Amino acid sequence: MKDEIAQLKALQAIDLEIINLEEQLAAVASGLDKRRQTIAEYQEESSLLKEKQSSLAERQQQLETGLVEDRAKISDRQAKMMNIQTNREYQSLLKESEDAKKANKEREDELLRIAEELEELGKKIAAVDNLCAGEEKLLAEDLAAADQRSAELAAGKEKILKKRASKAKDIHPSILKKYDMLRSRRNGLALVGVEDGVCRGCFMNIPPQLFNDLLKEEKLLICPTCNRIMFHQVAEEKEKATAK
């Protein structure tokens, strides 16, 4: 069983290397996704600002139209006031003229506020669009670097997978099947060392008799707590594993 454990150790070292490469590949993709998300957020912010800008511009147009119409109304009423015959007619035209002037004053005040807000919106939109353009430029650069890095990692993974296939042939099918099952269920770690009676996978003590059986290296033993395959790990092995 000692030879089988040695073979499993070698296989697990390969599998952990594969996991590392897969994590690096995922990190490359994640970095690009974060950049794309930032761009999408800037685009959404810009779109909302532009919608507000459009709405304000429409309101500005309405006010300017109303301003022109009431100015024409004021001129018309003032012209009519020159030819009226009665005081009642005069007062009526005067009120219409004053109401139009008041409405225009309110429009002018609102137009001033809108003009100021539109100016600020224009600045915000320009700033957001500039940030978005910067992120898009960085994304283009990241994509080029990511393609190269992904290709390197994929080539490395393919090479290691071939090495794994070769190493797996040396392991008995039943043991390999159990190892692969545990690896899929235990985050890639199917084989763990036991030091001073403590499983290094779950850090729980194993029964003394089980530890004695483990020292004999006569059969494959499973941790009663985390269900991983166990092997006796001496201090020297632990130091090497830590160094890696």
Side-chain angles (χ1 to χ4, degrees):
M1 190 52 62
K2 186 175 182 179
D3 290 340
E4 283 81 354
I5 291 295
Q7 290 170 343
L8 288 177
K9 285 181 183 179
L11 185 63
Q12 181 159 273
I14 294 171
D15 285 332
L16 291 176
E17 193 172 352
I18 292 171
I19 290 173
N20 179 259
L21 286 173
E22 288 175 342
E23 288 175 348
Q24 290 183 61
L25 279 165
V28 170
S30 176
L32 294 175
D33 288 342
K34 287 179 181 178
R35 184 79 69 189
R36 291 189 183 99
Q37 179 62 32
T38 300
I39 290 171
E41 288 171 359
Y42 282 140
Q43 289 173 337
E44 182 179 3
E45 184 179 358
S46 178
S47 177
L48 291 173
L49 289 171
K50 287 173 181 175
E51 284 180 14
K52 188 174 182 180
Q53 184 186 49
S54 177
S55 178
L56 282 173
E58 184 178 347
R59 175 59 179 162
Q60 185 183 50
Q61 182 62 44
Q62 292 172 352
L63 289 168
E64 288 173 346
T65 299
L67 199 62
V68 171
E69 290 174 350
D70 272 3
R71 280 174 180 167
K73 184 186 291 186
I74 292 168
S75 297
D76 177 67
R77 298 301 183 270
Q78 288 176 340
K80 286 181 178 179
M81 286 168 67
M82 301 298 293
N83 301 312
I84 60 174
Q85 301 293 324
T86 67
N87 184 59
R88 182 177 180 181
E89 289 176 327
Y90 179 85
Q91 292 299 326
S92 177
L93 290 172
L94 180 62
K95 185 178 186 308
E96 289 181 16
S97 179
E98 291 301 318
D99 288 345
K101 287 179 180 179
K102 182 180 178 181
N104 269 3
K105 179 63 172 63
E106 292 174 353
R107 287 191 184 94
E108 287 169 350
D109 290 342
E110 188 175 353
L111 280 168
L112 182 60
R113 290 194 299 271
I114 288 175
E116 291 173 351
E117 193 168 352
L118 283 172
E119 184 179 358
E120 287 302 312
L121 276 173
K123 291 177 181 178
K124 288 181 181 179
I125 290 169
V128 171
D129 287 348
N130 185 55
L131 288 170
C132 187
E135 287 294 325
E136 287 173 340
K137 182 180 178 181
L138 289 172
L139 177 61
E141 294 171 357
D142 288 349
L143 282 169
D147 286 344
Q148 181 179 349
R149 181 60 177 153
S150 295
E152 292 171 355
L153 291 170
K157 181 180 176 181
E158 185 178 355
K159 183 178 179 180
I160 295 172
L161 285 172
K162 289 179 180 178
K163 182 179 177 182
R164 185 191 194 279
S166 176
K167 180 64 65 176
K169 291 178 182 178
D170 298 331
I171 301 173
H172 193 279
S174 62
I175 295 176
L176 180 62
K177 182 179 180 181
K178 188 172 190 63
Y179 166 83
D180 284 335
M181 179 190 69
L182 289 171
R183 183 169 61 89
S184 66
R185 294 179 179 179
R186 294 291 181 269
N187 298 319
L189 195 65
L191 186 73
V192 291
V194 174
E195 184 182 4
D196 297 330
V198 177
C199 170
R200 307 309 295 181
C202 59
F203 298 97
M204 298 294 290
N205 288 306
I206 65 172
Q209 184 55 51
L210 185 59
F211 183 60
N212 289 333
D213 291 340
L214 187 65
L215 294 176
K216 296 176 184 177
E217 297 182 325
E218 294 177 347
K219 57 183 177 179
L220 207 65
L221 297 173
I222 303 297
C223 173
T225 302
C226 66
N227 296 318
R228 292 182 174 97
I229 300 169
M230 300 185 297
F231 67 91
H232 179 226
Q233 178 174 290
V234 295
E236 184 180 351
E237 286 180 315
K238 183 182 177 183
E239 289 173 4
K240 288 180 179 179
T242 304
K244 290 179 181 179

